[in-house]
Amino acid sequence: MRSKTKTYFQVIVVAIGLAFVALFAVSLQLSAAGQLRSGAAPDFTFAPFDGAQFKLSDLRGKVVVLNIWASWCIPCKDEAPILESAWRAYKNKGVVILGADYIDTEPAARAFLNEFGITYPNGPDMGSNIYRLYRARGVPETYFIDRRGNIARTIIGPMGEVQLRSALDELLG
């Protein structure tokens, strides 16, 4: 009798384990499916720490790189110099890089920007508005918006310099 009980218990444990694995796999697929990867880029008002407000739609005709970051994000620290380097190389070629600071304090965000010598426009994502509009799932996330205002590419997680420049070169065509 004990061996039957033990066998039933093992079958139940394995079934529960498989159910959790299946649930995890489905949740990953749903999470990725919910992210905004193409179509018209949602418009938003951007208020940089050092400058006047403007709307994303005001930048039509330019390639826009929207990077969602936070000062507490370790991969964002690796990306910051890459984004700044690209900004300096491409800003006179019709590219605008925007940094949307997600769930942060202004002093921490400004210290981050100073630490990495960031000069491209950055501002707080007030109320996580941009994060929600773009259905982001974490930081960093980067959205490449073409000259017509459409999302051309999305990079979830950190990106490298080659990846960034390749995307920009493709969009500038």
Side-chain angles (χ1 to χ4, degrees), residues 63-121:
V63 171
V64 177
V65 178
L66 171 62
N67 179 255
I68 302 175
W69 64 277
S71 66
W72 43 264
C73 163
I74 303 301
C76 297
K77 293 178 182 185
D78 295 332
E79 261 189 356
I82 293 167
L83 287 161
E84 180 61 24
S85 174
W87 168 244
R88 291 177 189 219
Y90 288 88
K91 68 181 175 181
N92 294 325
K93 297 179 182 180
V95 172
V96 176
I97 297 178
L98 300 177
D101 182 32
Y102 173 70
I103 304 184
D104 221 336
T105 65
E106 187 170 334
R110 285 183 178 270
F112 180 94
L113 298 173
N114 288 334
E115 177 182 350
F116 294 102
I118 303 300
T119 60
Y120 57 88

Side-chain angles (χ1 to χ4, degrees), residues 1 8 21 42-43 45-46 51 55 57 61-62 64 69 71 81 87 96 141 150 153-154 157 160 168-169 171:
M1 186 75 162
Y8 287 131
V21 168
D43 201 12
T45 300
F46 192 69
K55 289 182 149 275
S57 56
K62 297 181 184 265
V64 177
W69 64 277
S71 66
W87 168 244
V96 176
E141 288 195 15
N150 295 311
R153 182 177 293 184
T154 301
L168 288 174
D169 290 340
L171 288 170

